[in-house]
Amino acid sequence: MRAWVVRTPGRLDPVELPVPIPAPDELLVRVRTCGVCRTDLHVRDGDLPPHRSPVVPGHEAVGEVVAAGRDAVGHRLGSRVGVPWLRRTCGTCRNCRRGQENLCPSSRYTGWDEDGGYAEYLTVPAAYAYKLPEGYSDLELAPLLCAGIIGYRALRRAELPPGGRLGIYGFGGSAHLTAQVAIARGAMVHVFTRAPAARALALELGAASAADSHAEPPEPLDAAILFAPVGDLVPVALTALGSGGTLSVAGIYLSAIPPLDYERHLFRERTLRSVTANTREDGREFLASAAEHRIRTTVVPYPFEEADRALDDLAADRVNGAAVLTMPAAD
């Protein structure tokens, strides 16, 4: 099969690999589309320490189940499934037992610990593959599998009150989905991003305002989510919060945070929270919500052969919405 791999930081190389053989509890999936996530960029560029080398990146894969191990249950051959970031957890540690499997110290991830979706086939443990909502194309579904799910968890972590005022910093693949969820729940959403096209998209999707990343909000925020991997924006977002507000940092990678001033940035019970991956329950809840309330995914498709260009465009903020690789039709 054809695939792309990261061998050395900064490069994505096309290769041919054997079609993987599923383990007893795994599915073999023929990939139809795969989202291009900023985490893939961090894997390629070495911002995240290598867990496997070479590795096939990609963890927003939509495909068809074409084979299954003897112990794999829950998905029929020929069914459409989603392959997400969270690939496996131990199920027995303290975090797993109390419903925080995203914090499992033995957790493993698609496209980082094991080969992912920048390939014609991949494997996934059946218990970690998602059933997908109807009414969406393969292109539309791919960004939901990480950008959508992690944004949903970040929104939960931000503890936005009903009808509250939410600030969103950075407006790419994840943010444009999360904004729609918040607006559907009655929130007033203010977007802050350096990209003029992203500001236009935010207003089109129903944001109350859209301004530059360092602009002051038109009103104090009840909650904020930082999607841009820019530590300099942490004090900016904290300053924008009203009393008791929470800033949720959604990314797996963040550049250095400048020194914080206690009175200016944290006093009056403002809270700074990180987000670490997600639980399967987060994914099931978000996809159920997507089935009930149609989410518009703004997608920029790239042929599979142009995966390297897709990552370069993402790095240069040339992607307005979510980039998605499209696979050639199966023979």
Side-chain angles (χ1 to χ4, degrees), residues 69 71 141 215 240 256 310 319:
D71 300 327
L141 283 169
V319 178

Side-chain angles (χ1 to χ4, degrees), residues 1-303:
M1 68 175 185
R2 294 179 301 160
W4 291 87
V5 299
V6 177
R7 286 197 181 96
T8 57
R11 289 188 55 183
L12 190 66
D13 295 319
V15 297
E16 287 199 0
L17 298 173
V19 174
I21 299 172
D25 67 341
E26 292 181 346
L27 309 172
L28 177 64
V29 176
R30 179 187 290 121
V31 178
R32 295 177 181 171
T33 61
C34 186
V36 179
C37 180
R38 190 164 289 275
T39 302
D40 302 332
L41 189 62
H42 297 320
V43 170
R44 185 197 70 172
D45 292 347
D47 298 325
L48 295 177
H51 281 192
R52 173 180 177 148
S53 183
V55 66
V56 177
H59 55 275
E60 295 179 320
V62 175
E64 175 189 356
V65 178
V66 294
R70 65 177 183 272
D71 300 327
V73 297
H75 302 275
R76 295 179 292 102
L77 294 181
S79 62
R80 185 170 67 165
V81 297
V83 182
W85 173 239
L86 184 66
R87 179 183 177 87
R88 197 182 289 276
T89 57
C90 72
T92 59
C93 71
R94 181 168 177 260
N95 292 313
C96 286
R97 292 197 309 271
R98 64 185 184 184
Q100 294 177 308
E101 65 180 2
N102 60 308
L103 302 179
C104 173
S106 301
S107 57
R108 298 182 68 79
Y109 300 96
T110 307
W112 193 20
D113 295 294
E114 303 291 345
D115 287 340
Y118 287 24
E120 293 179 299
Y121 294 87
L122 82 165
T123 61
V124 58
Y128 291 80
Y130 287 117
K131 296 179 180 179
L132 297 172
E134 300 296 328
Y136 291 85
S137 69
D138 296 339
L139 268 174
E140 293 171 320
L141 283 169
L144 302 186
L145 291 167
C146 178
I149 294 171
I150 201 68
Y152 178 78
R153 184 169 184 84
L155 182 60
R156 289 180 59 190
R157 295 278 290 164
E159 294 190 342
L160 178 68
R165 300 160 295 192
L166 175 68
I168 292 180
Y169 289 80
F171 203 74
S174 189
H176 92 283
L177 302 174
T178 307
Q180 294 178 69
V181 174
I183 291 168
R185 294 179 173 183
M188 185 77 71
V189 173
H190 301 287
V191 170
F192 306 90
T193 178
R194 65 184 182 182
R199 292 198 289 270
L201 176 61
L203 294 173
E204 185 181 339
L205 292 175
S209 71
D212 184 73
S213 301
H214 290 79
E216 292 186 12
E219 55 186 340
L221 304 175
D222 298 306
I225 305 173
L226 176 59
F227 287 102
V230 182
D232 287 347
L233 291 176
V234 169
V236 173
L238 286 171
T239 301
L241 291 175
S243 300
T246 297
L247 170 61
S248 174
V249 180
I252 190 173
Y253 169 82
L254 188 71
S255 61
I257 299 174
L260 299 177
D261 179 87
Y262 176 70
E263 183 172 358
R264 183 180 180 193
H265 299 128
L266 294 171
F267 193 57
R268 298 193 62 78
E269 298 192 355
R270 284 171 286 191
T271 301
L272 173 61
R273 282 182 160 180
S274 67
V275 176
T276 301
N278 60 272
T279 67
R280 282 173 286 177
E281 186 60 26
D282 291 327
R284 288 188 285 264
E285 286 182 10
F286 171 70
L287 292 171
S289 177
E292 183 178 356
H293 304 289
R294 189 66 162 77
I295 294 175
R296 173 182 161 187
T297 56
T298 302
V299 172
V300 182
Y302 288 80

